[in-house]
Amino acid sequence: KAGVTQTPRYLIKTRGQQVTLSCSPISGHRSVSWYQQTPGQGLQFLFEYFSETQRNKGNFPGRFSGRQFSNSRSEMNVSTLELGDSALYLCASSLRGDRTGELFFGEGSRLTVL
Amino acid sequence: GQQVMQIPQYQHVQEGEDFTTYCNSSTTLSNIQWYKQRPGGHPVFLIQLVKSGEVKKQKRLTFQFGEAKKNSSLHITATQTTDVGTYFCAGDGGGGFKTIFGAGTRLFVKA
């Protein structure tokens, strides 16, 4: 069974640009969560999607957005990039429907903003 | 909002020594999960505890969930160099569908 796939793995952008990251969950998993990981802040929750609906979101500015498609694949977008957005963005899928459960993480997309 | 605090931030041990990391939540948790992230890797699920006072073992790893379901610990007996990495606890962030991670404890093991 294929794991969680994130693309691209690495990318470099400049301030003011926007970026779109993609996540394909494990087959059968309908929940997708996104996290931002930085050395100083650890793993920060961005948002969670289930069946194309955002069920929860973290404390990030509106520049961070996401969506989920009918096939459970998810994308997140960051607009007007800032230097502080440089981080590893991790996607995690889960079987959970009505409660929290084990998260399966992808390898992450490492974003560098110059 | 709910917070999950984890200590220590770093731990250096000699191979063969024991290691413990502690996790505390500001609110009662429905469950607690533990993950391990190797350097350069991604977090990998280790275990989930659900019941008050629950204790689970995986070989040299012992996981505990407090009676009040607000704290947890991970204890590694006789560490090995393969244990290096960052150990995270994670709990339900309240409101459902939001897993909140502690800051993690990075373990260094000297051979």
Side-chain angles (χ1 to χ4, degrees):
Chain A
K1 203 174 199 181
V4 177
T5 304
Q6 291 189 246
T7 57
R9 290 291 312 280
Y10 303 91
L11 65 166
I12 300 174
K13 294 285 186 179
T14 57
R15 282 180 298 173
Q17 287 187 311
Q18 73 166 13
V19 66
T20 299
L21 309 178
S22 179
C23 172
S24 293
I26 292 172
S27 178
H29 286 195
R30 295 164 64 190
S31 169
V32 173
S33 299
W34 288 90
Y35 289 84
Q36 180 194 66
Q37 186 173 32
T38 57
Q41 298 296 320
L43 279 154
Q44 299 294 311
F45 175 81
L46 281 156
F47 21 66
E48 191 264 1
Y49 289 88
F50 183 86
S51 294
E52 303 178 67
T53 299
Q54 185 184 90
R55 298 194 296 187
N56 214 325
K57 63 180 295 186
N59 298 321
F60 278 82
R63 300 186 296 108
F64 292 80
S65 62
R67 59 178 176 170
Q68 187 181 33
F69 302 95
S70 58
N71 61 357
S72 293
R73 190 178 70 84
S74 178
E75 289 181 348
M76 68 162 284
N77 183 276
V78 188
S79 63
T80 320
L81 284 166
E82 301 176 358
L83 295 178
D85 296 333
S86 294
L88 179 66
Y89 289 88
L90 291 162
C91 165
S93 75
S94 174
L95 269 173
R96 66 194 186 196
D98 61 347
R99 56 184 174 180
T100 55
E102 175 182 352
L103 296 176
F104 295 82
F105 283 87
E107 298 284 349
S109 293
R110 185 166 295 281
L111 170 65
T112 301
V113 182
L114 302 176
Chain B
Q2 191 225 12
Q3 291 185 317
V4 177
M5 292 147 286
Q6 195 173 349
I7 57 168
Q9 188 176 3
Y10 303 97
Q11 183 82 59
H12 290 80
V13 300
Q14 196 75 29
E15 189 173 26
E17 292 181 338
D18 291 356
F19 159 77
T20 304
T21 174
Y22 301 90
C23 183
N24 285 284
S25 170
S26 56
T27 60
T28 301
L29 298 168
S30 57
N31 62 62
I32 190 89
Q33 299 172 3
W34 286 91
Y35 293 80
K36 177 184 178 181
Q37 184 174 24
R38 295 181 185 276
H42 58 279
V44 175
F45 176 83
L46 293 176
I47 207 162
Q48 176 170 285
L49 305 174
V50 179
K51 299 177 182 177
S52 169
E54 189 170 13
V55 178
K56 287 188 176 181
K57 292 189 176 184
Q58 289 181 349
K59 298 183 180 178
R60 296 178 295 104
L61 277 61
T62 302
F63 304 85
Q64 292 188 317
F65 200 9
E67 294 290 340
K69 301 183 76 173
K70 295 180 72 174
N71 61 287
S72 182
S73 65
L74 158 60
H75 179 82
I76 302 179
T77 303
T79 55
Q80 300 175 357
T81 55
T82 53
D83 294 327
V84 298
T86 302
Y87 293 84
F88 294 96
C89 62
D92 187 342
F97 324 121
K98 179 180 180 180
T99 302
I100 300 299
F101 282 74
T105 295
R106 184 158 185 185
L107 173 64
F108 298 86
V109 180
K110 185 176 181 181

